[in-house]
Amino acid sequence: MKAPLEPAFLTNPRFEDISEGGETQKLRLLDELRVFSAVLNAFIHIPSGFEFEESIPFFLFSLSRPRGESKRAACIHDWLYRFGSYSNPGGSFPVTRSQADAVYHEFLLAKGVSPVRAYFRWLGVRLGGWAHFNS
């Protein structure tokens, strides 16, 4: 497959809400998620069954609360954070925290999140994500 020039969602996956009680929205990916990241100039494949959270730091919640338009970006970001790498048919490749956050931002914009809201979401992961990277 020829690489697109822009970030692209190559599949249209479904998600299942697996949250319990008042916790952050926890989701399970029901179908494989495949995307092309212009930031990484690479295809990323995330298998079905991957569980992740669509959350932001509490201090940014009033500025940019999750509205459902960021599930795919959150899934990609959590995958990159959890494993410190991305996978595609060519193998597994390391990714830095800064790259993971930039990929999150690019897919927020690709999904149609406004630039201001995407910036605050990106800022939240830059300020609060250090404790979760590669854990």
Side-chain angles (χ1 to χ4, degrees):
M1 173 183 283
K2 184 177 177 188
L5 298 176
E6 300 289 325
F9 295 101
L10 305 174
T11 58
N12 188 19
R14 296 169 299 132
F15 302 93
E16 175 184 24
D17 187 340
I18 57 171
S19 306
E20 293 186 19
E23 66 187 356
T24 302
Q25 186 174 17
K26 293 181 84 170
L27 301 162
R28 179 180 297 127
L29 182 61
L30 296 177
D31 307 298
E32 178 184 49
L33 174 58
R34 289 184 289 126
V35 299
F36 176 79
S37 167
V39 166
L40 298 174
N41 191 30
F43 293 97
I44 301 171
H45 295 212
I46 302 172
S48 64
F50 179 64
E51 295 180 3
F52 64 99
E53 295 180 357
E54 185 181 24
S55 62
I56 59 172
F58 73 93
F59 58 89
L60 290 175
F61 193 80
S62 64
L63 296 173
S64 186
R65 70 178 38 111
R67 295 184 183 162
E69 78 262 284
S70 60
K71 288 177 186 164
R72 295 176 193 187
C75 181
I76 298 162
H77 188 254
D78 277 14
W79 177 271
L80 296 175
Y81 258 53
R82 189 164 309 153
F83 298 106
S85 65
Y86 61 92
S87 300
N88 65 38
S92 182
F93 304 92
V95 65
T96 66
R97 181 174 165 249
S98 178
Q99 287 173 313
D101 294 344
V103 169
Y104 178 60
H105 187 255
E106 90 174 315
F107 282 106
L108 287 171
L109 294 172
K111 189 61 179 151
V113 175
S114 77
V116 171
R117 284 178 46 80
Y119 171 78
F120 281 115
R121 299 296 296 270
W122 171 85
L123 182 62
V125 296
R126 289 306 300 156
L127 294 175
W130 60 270
H132 302 286
F133 184 71
N134 226 0
S135 61

